[in-house]
């Protein structure tokens, strides 16, 4: 089993930055692909970014490309999401997920999920 705990969310003004962290425990996730998803009120969960176990493969949703950066530190069993130039439409609960396979953009392909952290961007 893998437990995932997100942190780093909060309230920020438009144009600001936040860095989310996702700490894994229970089993090393160094060989797992990790992903970030978000869900805004009244909307479906959407893919944000994913990173392979080595960090060599990364993929972003078009809506965040150029503004968000996903990274990982396998020694710390932690994955990060650096979010810059935040917009009000980025407001959502951000959740990290893990899968013991290659990167994926569909939530149904992930095996483990965190509880999420709220990100609110004011205009």
């Amino acid at each position: 089993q893998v437990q995932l705990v997100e942190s780093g969310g909060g309230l920020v003004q438009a144009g600001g930055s936040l860095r989310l962290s996702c700490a894994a425990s229970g089993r090393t996730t160094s060989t797992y692909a990790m992903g970030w998803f978000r869900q805004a009120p009244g909307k479906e969960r959407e893919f944000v970014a994913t990173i392979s176990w080595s960090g060599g493969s990364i993929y972003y949703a078009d809506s965040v490309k150029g503004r968000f950066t996903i990274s990982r530190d396998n020694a710390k069993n932690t994955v990060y999401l650096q979010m810059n130039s935040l917009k009000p439409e980025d407001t959502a609960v951000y959740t990290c997920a893990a899968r013991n396979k290659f990167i994926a953009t569909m939530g149904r392909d992930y095996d483990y999920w965190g509880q999420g952290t709220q990100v609110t961007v004011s205009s």
Side-chain angles (χ1 to χ4, degrees):
Q1 283 285 8
V2 174
Q3 293 79 43
L4 303 173
V5 179
E6 302 92 340
S7 61
L11 174 63
V12 63
Q13 289 188 331
S17 299
L18 282 174
R19 189 176 83 152
L20 305 183
S21 299
C22 173
S25 62
R27 180 182 293 181
T28 180
T29 56
S30 61
T31 61
Y32 283 53
M34 303 293 292
W36 284 99
F37 292 79
R38 67 185 183 185
Q39 186 167 20
K43 294 187 177 181
E44 293 188 352
R45 181 178 61 197
E46 66 171 342
F47 164 77
V48 176
T50 182
I51 185 168
S52 63
W53 70 271
S54 68
S57 294
I58 290 174
Y59 190 76
Y60 297 99
D62 288 343
S63 58
V64 306
K65 200 173 296 182
R67 299 188 298 122
F68 290 11
T69 302
I70 189 171
S71 62
R72 67 189 298 163
D73 184 339
N74 286 339
K76 296 182 178 180
N77 260 0
T78 300
V79 64
Y80 305 97
L81 186 68
Q82 178 67 44
M83 306 186 295
N84 299 329
S85 302
L86 282 161
K87 306 174 181 179
E89 51 264 43
D90 294 319
T91 295
V93 174
Y94 285 71
T95 306
C96 68
R99 71 190 300 258
N100 191 13
K101 293 179 180 66
F102 199 59
I103 59 173
T105 62
M106 302 296 290
R108 63 171 180 255
D109 292 327
Y110 285 80
D111 304 307
Y112 304 100
W113 293 83
Q115 293 299 309
T117 184
Q118 176 70 46
V119 171
T120 303
V121 184
S122 62
S123 57

